[in-house]
Amino acid sequence: MNVVVKSDTWAASRLSVAPMMDWTDRHCRTFHRQLSRRALLYTEMVTAPALVRGGATHLLDFGSQEHPVALQLGGSEPGELARAARMGADHGYDEINLNVGCPSDRVQSGRFGAVLMREPELVAECCAGMIAAQPLPVTVKCRIGVDDQRPDDVLPDFLSKIRAAGVRRVTIHARMAWLQGLSPKENRDVPPLDYDLVHRMKAEFPDLHVSINGGITDLDQVETHLARGLDGVMIGRAAYHDPAMVLLEADQRIFGETGPAPTREEVVHAMLPYIDRHIAAGGKLGQVTRHMLGLFTGQPGARRWRRVLSEGASRPGADRELVLEALGEVTRAAA
């Protein structure tokens, strides 16, 4: 196996953008990379059965400009996950992550995601197989527990078992997942956050690299968690809906870069060559620009920016000129 690990995800995970189904596709990740060169990006969850049994290797496609980038896998069969992890390594990803946090009904029925919090031994077996199968770091994203479990008891046991399997980095979504009675959307908001528990886990497992996820919306909060001793912070929906607020100054504030942060306008212009290539290859403008709608959130002209892109991107022949038209609306509003 001839694999080159292109990026240090250990350092990059100081700030990461969460894997989000239907959102963090390769177009989204390319856009986010224009705002931050350093933050760790994740794919949408890709199921091991789709890769191994379904041959859906197109789900692994990504661009070299996305590094550092991690592949998140879903599954519960150790051998299948090992093969999927090896495929991810062969495709050039920087990290393989196992999803033990998604609460959707579809994921539960496939015996993966948050329901695996009930089977830490199986998770450990899966992780051990993935680690043995390929050279990249294998990490886990989990919840603090599910349903009637007691997080103070369950989470330390879970972390002990995956650590014994060879896992050295974990991201903990600081909420329970209530698999009975709540929708996936409600599971992102309704169960109360327990940040202190995650901080206690870092104290109890000082050799583990621990990142926190859940309800974090800006860099001030990121800096607070890092100052309290955590190794990393993962942000989800806020990084998608207001990407500039989360990512535009991240390299300077979180990673210590000394150069200037890009402007929103520079980010737009940086995306134009990618948009040109995507359209030339037969893609549609809206597949890219739907991820860019929040770029000017809170700025003059934000509504006009969203309106021009939302109304025009699906029209036949829509290309970079529509993006420049939308940017012109922002410029005029700010004048």
Side-chain angles (χ1 to χ4, degrees):
M1 185 185 304
N2 183 20
V3 176
V4 177
V5 179
K6 298 178 174 60
S7 303
D8 178 10
T9 59
W10 197 278
S13 63
R14 189 167 169 84
L15 176 67
S16 58
V17 177
M20 292 175 281
M21 294 297 294
D22 300 321
W23 287 3
T24 52
D25 62 17
R26 59 193 177 96
H27 309 307
C28 176
R29 297 191 303 267
T30 298
F31 168 56
H32 283 172
R33 186 55 70 214
Q34 310 313 313
L35 287 96
S36 170
R37 296 186 303 110
R38 300 288 298 276
L40 177 60
L41 305 180
Y42 283 81
T43 67
E44 304 170 86
M45 183 185 66
V46 178
T47 67
L51 296 177
V52 175
R53 285 183 255 156
T57 56
H58 66 280
L59 297 175
L60 297 175
D61 291 345
F62 74 100
S64 60
Q65 74 280 357
E66 296 176 35
H67 291 290
V69 59
L71 169 66
Q72 187 183 67
L73 293 175
S76 60
E77 203 289 307
E80 201 164 59
L81 278 166
R83 290 178 61 189
R86 187 162 58 247
M87 293 168 71
D90 288 344
H91 269 73
Y93 282 94
D94 301 305
E95 172 192 312
I96 309 297
N97 179 264
L98 179 63
N99 184 322
V100 191
C102 182
S104 77
D105 293 339
R106 182 171 64 87
V107 168
Q108 290 182 58
S109 66
R111 200 184 174 207
F112 52 90
V115 71
L116 287 176
M117 293 297 298
R118 294 192 177 280
E119 300 186 73
E121 294 85 0
L122 176 59
V123 174
E125 184 182 352
C126 290
C127 290
M130 295 162 71
I131 291 168
Q134 49 79 46
L136 300 182
V138 171
T139 66
V140 171
K141 185 173 187 289
C142 67
R143 293 277 181 141
I144 61 174
V146 296
D147 294 333
D148 58 352
Q149 291 181 325
R150 291 176 51 86
D152 285 318
D153 298 329
V154 169
L155 190 55
D157 178 64
F158 180 85
L159 295 179
S160 293
K161 286 183 168 61
I162 64 171
R163 181 179 63 177
V167 173
R168 293 294 174 262
R169 183 150 58 79
V170 60
T171 298
I172 303 172
H173 186 155
R175 300 181 197 269
M176 296 282 289
W178 294 341
L179 303 179
Q180 304 299 321
L182 289 185
S183 69
K185 181 178 185 299
E186 289 169 329
N187 260 302
R188 293 193 292 266
D189 296 301
V190 175
L193 289 159
D194 191 347
Y195 292 150
D196 287 342
L197 175 61
V198 180
H199 283 271
R200 292 200 300 275
M201 291 304 97
K202 177 58 186 178
E204 188 169 335
F205 298 90
D207 57 319
L208 278 182
H209 186 291
V210 178
S211 293
I212 193 169
N213 172 233
I216 301 165
T217 59
D218 59 43
L219 294 183
D220 289 342
Q221 293 169 285
V222 173
E223 290 173 330
T224 297
H225 284 293
L226 294 175
R228 287 185 60 189
L230 290 179
D231 301 296
V233 178
M234 176 181 280
I235 299 183
R237 286 167 291 164
Y240 190 87
H241 293 304
D242 195 351
M245 178 183 67
V246 173
L247 294 173
L248 205 57
E249 297 181 356
D251 292 356
Q252 289 71 29
R253 292 180 57 179
I254 307 303
F255 296 98
E257 294 277 351
T258 57
T263 66
R264 290 171 174 82
E265 291 76 13
E266 288 170 341
V267 168
V268 173
H269 283 283
M271 285 297 295
L272 295 179
Y274 178 82
I275 288 170
D276 292 341
R277 292 192 298 272
H278 177 64
I279 292 174
K284 304 297 183 183
L285 178 65
Q287 293 171 317
V288 179
T289 56
R290 73 185 184 96
H291 302 297
M292 301 172 62
L293 297 179
L295 179 59
F296 290 94
T297 296
Q299 303 296 305
R303 185 175 298 177
R304 298 181 194 178
W305 163 263
R306 292 193 300 269
R307 186 185 70 246
V308 171
L309 292 182
S310 297
E311 294 177 357
S314 61
R315 294 172 185 162
D319 59 15
R320 65 151 58 200
E321 294 306 317
L322 184 76
V323 180
L324 292 173
E325 178 187 339
L327 183 59
E329 292 288 338
V330 173
T331 303
R332 284 188 288 275

